[in-house]
Amino acid sequence: TDNYAAAEIGAEKIFEVKQDQIKNATIDEPVRIGVLSQEVNSQSISDRTQGFIDKMEELILTLDEIEAVAIVGHTKFGVSEKEAAVIIDLQVPAQLTDAAGQTTGQTLLNKEDTIAVFASNEFASKALINANDSVGGILGEDIIGVGFDSGKMQQDAVRNNVFLGSITQDPISIGYQAVTLAIKAINGEEVEDVDTGAIWYNSENIDTEDI
């Protein structure tokens, strides 16, 4: 999976829904878009985090009303001290436990200016769902959640419109291409990485054959 490109889908979907709210943000009354990531070391999750942040910033800066975006929360992805009408806030749990993930998700949901949260994998998506339950179920219209991967809890959140939707990889293509490339390699043919793609799913298409 091209994880950078896959995460861009999440940014596009949030921007599509929240564009007007972002457009009306000011330095005095900013809006915050949260990113909840399991960690910042593995390439796949780092690529998703970076892909989402870069695409979201790019989309926001197409708006004439917005002059700058502040990126805060973790030094690896560039902490900005500048004042801005829009804040992208990356939060990473201190420990890789369900409790720590839930607490970190609550931190984002409890900020008064948060309008959306992107969870970059199954662990982060589960953490965001648990955090939402613990604060009384506020994900939906005012604050939208977008996930990545497709565990049962996340599927239920999508079906019930707790999440706007999520991004899934294509495991069938991953397995198929692995065998195809292995045979080519055995036969001495040149091989290169193949992007098996990613697909957006929501409550409308989750039960279709393709998804």
Side-chain angles (χ1 to χ4, degrees):
T1 307
D2 183 337
N3 286 289
Y4 185 97
E8 289 181 318
I9 299 170
E12 291 166 351
K13 296 299 181 179
I14 288 175
F15 184 78
E16 186 179 309
V17 174
K18 290 294 187 178
Q19 180 174 343
D20 288 342
Q21 198 169 353
I22 293 169
K23 187 185 299 184
N24 293 325
T26 65
I27 290 175
D28 292 331
E29 295 185 7
V31 297
R32 183 180 306 268
I33 297 165
V35 183
L36 181 56
S37 288
Q38 174 177 311
E39 36 86 7
V40 294
N41 298 313
S42 67
Q43 183 175 345
S44 61
I45 297 176
S46 292
D47 284 352
R48 293 176 195 176
T49 303
Q50 192 72 67
F52 178 85
I53 291 173
D54 288 351
K55 188 63 176 182
M56 182 57 71
E57 183 179 25
E58 175 191 323
L59 291 169
I60 291 167
L61 292 177
T62 63
L63 301 173
D64 294 336
E65 296 85 352
I66 304 298
E67 296 181 358
V69 176
I71 300 170
V72 304
H74 200 286
T75 54
K76 180 171 181 177
F77 293 91
V79 174
S80 168
E81 299 296 332
K82 63 189 175 186
E83 288 190 319
V86 184
I87 303 160
I88 298 175
D89 187 349
L90 169 62
Q91 295 291 324
V92 180
Q95 296 175 302
L96 194 57
T97 64
D98 287 344
Q102 178 179 322
T103 299
T104 306
Q106 287 174 224
T107 298
L108 287 169
L109 293 178
N110 283 331
K111 293 183 179 181
E112 292 183 357
D113 53 4
T114 298
I115 62 170
V117 180
F118 170 70
S120 63
N121 73 337
E122 183 59 33
F123 171 87
S125 298
K126 181 180 177 182
L128 182 58
I129 294 164
N130 287 332
N132 180 58
D133 290 342
S134 70
V135 297
I138 59 176
L139 284 176
E141 287 189 25
D142 293 336
I143 304 177
I144 60 174
V146 166
F148 201 113
D149 289 327
S150 54
K152 183 183 185 305
M153 184 181 288
Q154 189 173 173
Q155 290 183 39
D156 289 344
V158 170
R159 283 193 174 93
N160 296 325
N161 293 307
V162 174
F163 273 13
L164 178 69
S166 290
I167 300 146
T168 180
Q169 300 174 86
D170 187 346
I172 293 176
S173 291
I174 290 170
Y176 185 92
Q177 291 295 340
V179 175
T180 301
L181 294 173
I183 296 300
K184 286 184 176 180
I186 288 168
N187 291 332
E189 299 177 43
E190 287 190 13
V191 295
E192 59 185 16
D193 288 346
V194 176
D195 177 17
T196 52
I199 304 173
W200 171 257
Y201 68 97
N202 57 22
S203 60
E204 295 179 1
N205 72 349
I206 186 172
D207 292 312
T208 61
E209 185 176 351
D210 286 348
I211 300 298

